[in-house]
Amino acid sequence: MPELPEVETVRRGIAPEIIGRRIVAVFVRQRRLRRLVPAGLGKKITGMSVVGVYRRAKYLIIVLDSCALLVHLGMSGALRVGASPSKAKHEHIDWALDNGKHLLYSDPRRFGLVLLAEKNFAKHPLLEHLGCEPLTRNFNGRVLYAAWRGKKMPVKTALLDGKTVAGVGNIYASESLFDACIRPQTAAGKISAKRCAVLAVAIKSVLRRAIRAGGSTLRDFVDGHGHPGMFQMKWRVYGRGGSHCCCGAVIRKIFQNGRATYYCPRCQR
DNA sequence: AGAACCACCTGGCAGC
DNA sequence: TGCTGCCAGGTGGTTC
């Protein structure tokens, strides 16, 4: 579910609702996420106000007066602001705000995480080794080309591993490679500087278009207000194995490292 | 160093 | 209708 555009959609949705608000109570109903929600989370942050809401790769960082919350939505997580907690089965954490509203974290598969971090969150061990943020000016084809010299791993795998460019997930890896006309099996180190430049532009373009559409909804993604995204309507290869590309060729589905990859054998060489 | 695999979970769906 | 098995957006850690 939540890849970078979905996380950014959530960030934009909740930020205006929670920045400046004070946390008056925290209810943790399920601590067992991918990592255990820290004991005493409520005690530590109750009374603090929200100073800012940031995103790094697929992590959301809610900065408070003197610490930060590090939130990852995993595969099925959602973070929304609501008038009241729903008491739904998978609504694990409820932050009550001073305006009577609630920030609510739900995650049926519990692959996500909610941790405490220092206010200077960039040094957090989960964040400090992440690659380049794809929607910044720092990210371009030269970054890809330099990082991938000598790499035999398939370009799709290299995009997904987050070491060079962070936050490109399974859907947008396939879509970006289609946009750049690059075959996902191509060894990352075999891609020319020129094609790396095309790929970097494609990644930015696909992510921006997805954000504009409010993210993709596969099954259950909803934004900070509980609304689904629309970008899944615009997938050109993802999830379309066996159907026809705009060029007429049949889109292929293959598996790389146990993850589905989709591509057009005619458009992508 | 790098690649392959595993683990963490639940829910939805296809097929029988 | 109901059971079983398979698949799914992520990613950190372990093993080879």
Side-chain angles (χ1 to χ4, degrees):
Chain A
M1 178 262 294
E3 292 200 28
L4 188 151
E6 292 73 48
V7 177
E8 179 62 20
T9 299
V10 168
R11 190 193 70 77
R12 292 178 186 189
I14 65 171
E17 302 259 13
I18 66 172
I19 289 175
R21 300 262 66 102
R22 196 164 49 84
I23 295 167
V24 296
V26 182
F27 305 97
V28 180
R29 301 193 180 89
Q30 170 62 273
R31 288 185 65 205
R32 291 178 51 233
L33 304 182
R34 194 171 87 222
R35 293 192 187 183
L36 209 58
V37 176
L41 175 79
K43 195 174 242 181
K44 169 106 186 183
I45 66 171
T46 297
M48 287 193 197
S49 295
V50 177
V51 176
V53 184
Y54 303 90
R55 179 188 56 73
R56 176 77 173 100
K58 293 170 200 156
Y59 289 92
L60 275 170
I61 303 102
I62 300 172
V63 176
L64 308 175
D65 292 324
S66 62
C67 65
L69 288 167
L70 188 61
V71 179
H72 197 291
L73 301 177
M75 302 244 267
S76 60
L79 199 56
R80 67 183 183 92
V81 175
S84 60
S86 69
K87 297 273 168 41
K89 188 176 169 192
H90 299 295
E91 201 167 87
H92 305 314
I93 307 181
D94 166 7
W95 292 268
L97 306 174
D98 64 352
N99 60 351
K101 291 191 178 179
H102 297 254
L103 177 65
L104 301 161
Y105 176 86
S106 61
D107 184 3
R109 284 180 74 182
R110 289 194 267 131
F111 274 24
L113 50 81
V114 174
L115 297 173
L116 276 169
E118 286 178 39
K119 201 170 175 183
N120 179 11
F121 57 84
K123 289 188 304 187
H124 192 280
L126 291 177
L127 304 182
E128 72 171 334
H129 300 296
L130 290 173
C132 207
E133 198 57 41
L135 295 178
T136 61
R137 297 189 63 176
N138 295 337
F139 175 65
N140 55 45
R142 289 187 297 277
V143 171
L144 296 178
Y145 187 74
W148 288 349
R149 283 316 79 206
K151 289 255 188 295
K152 290 185 186 142
M153 80 167 60
V155 59
K156 152 75 160 28
T157 308
L159 278 181
L160 268 187
D161 81 9
K163 292 190 181 86
T164 308
V165 53
V168 178
N170 206 37
I171 295 172
Y172 299 105
S174 279
E175 291 295 311
S176 301
L177 288 167
F178 174 81
D179 229 49
C181 305
I182 296 171
R183 235 180 239 229
Q185 304 95 318
T186 310
K190 292 277 185 197
I191 299 175
S192 68
K194 203 170 183 177
R195 299 187 89 200
C196 282
V198 171
L199 179 56
V201 169
I203 291 167
K204 287 175 195 265
S205 158
V206 167
L207 293 177
R208 288 210 181 98
R209 277 183 277 140
I211 291 169
R212 230 178 288 137
S216 298
T217 293
L218 187 66
R219 282 203 191 95
D220 47 11
F221 170 73
V222 289
D223 66 16
H225 303 286
H227 305 308
M230 293 302 287
F231 193 71
Q232 68 280 6
M233 315 288 287
K234 299 183 180 169
W235 291 341
R236 294 201 275 175
V237 287
Y238 187 84
R240 299 190 59 229
S243 58
H244 292 274
C245 176
C246 51
C247 77
V250 175
I251 294 166
R252 287 193 190 148
K253 178 184 188 182
I254 59 169
F255 283 88
Q256 294 177 293
N257 303 312
R259 314 288 307 276
T261 300
Y262 300 86
Y263 72 99
C264 170
R266 189 182 294 165
C267 295
Q268 294 170 258
R269 302 280 179 180

